Amino acid sequence: MSSVRDEGKDRIIFVTKEDHATPSSAELVEEDPDDPYEERGLILPSGEINWNCPCLGGMASGPCGTEFKDAFSCFHYSKEEVKGSECLEHFRAMQECIQRYPELYPQEDDKVQKEQSSETEPASQDSASAETPGADSTSATEPDSDSMPPNTEGSGDS
């Protein structure tokens, strides 16, 4: 026989082999093809944008949701030769909004640049000091003019 125990926000259910031996009595609900909240990807069968798609990463909600929707809609429905070329102002407004909320919309480029600069600063100093001896070593691998016999073929003494 199964037992149920609530611990805070969690409910723990212990089941026995006998519980698993009997067929399930759960009834599956038929999916409603007209459910507007059903996840169907970014573009719904009607051609409209599914603002609930997890692929948008929550950009459609939040303080810049309106700007994002305006810019994305403009691009999606664009008929221009260069798709979205008429949407520049919408994207500019969205970018300005995002820059007003850096704690909500961290810039990936900023993170990457900070990580790379902190990782490469010691290496760049090492490589700078390594380049100077490296330059000398490349010239050291070339034969010295003192150790080479003079080129007398083209001197014109004959």
Side-chain angles (χ1 to χ4, degrees), residues 43 48 68 82 113-114:
I43 308 302
E48 294 179 31
F68 174 78
V82 177
Q113 287 174 354
K114 287 178 185 176

Side-chain angles (χ1 to χ4, degrees), residues 15-98:
V15 294
T16 63
K17 286 184 181 182
E18 293 81 27
D19 293 329
H20 284 289
T22 59
S24 173
S25 61
E27 293 182 22
L28 299 177
V29 178
E30 289 289 325
E31 290 185 21
D32 180 6
D34 298 323
D35 183 3
Y37 298 105
E38 178 70 28
E39 292 181 22
R40 290 194 172 87
L42 180 58
I43 308 302
L44 297 172
S46 65
E48 294 179 31
I49 300 167
N50 179 7
W51 297 115
N52 296 317
C53 181
C55 62
L56 294 176
M59 288 295 295
S61 58
C64 299
T66 303
E67 289 83 353
F68 174 78
K69 287 179 178 182
D70 290 345
F72 197 89
S73 296
C74 181
F75 182 83
H76 176 68
Y77 295 113
S78 174
K79 302 274 191 235
E80 294 295 316
E81 178 81 20
V82 177
K83 187 169 180 88
S85 59
E86 75 276 19
C87 305
L88 198 55
E89 286 304 315
H90 293 292
F91 280 98
R92 186 172 288 125
M94 180 183 77
Q95 183 178 13
E96 289 170 359
C97 180
I98 287 172

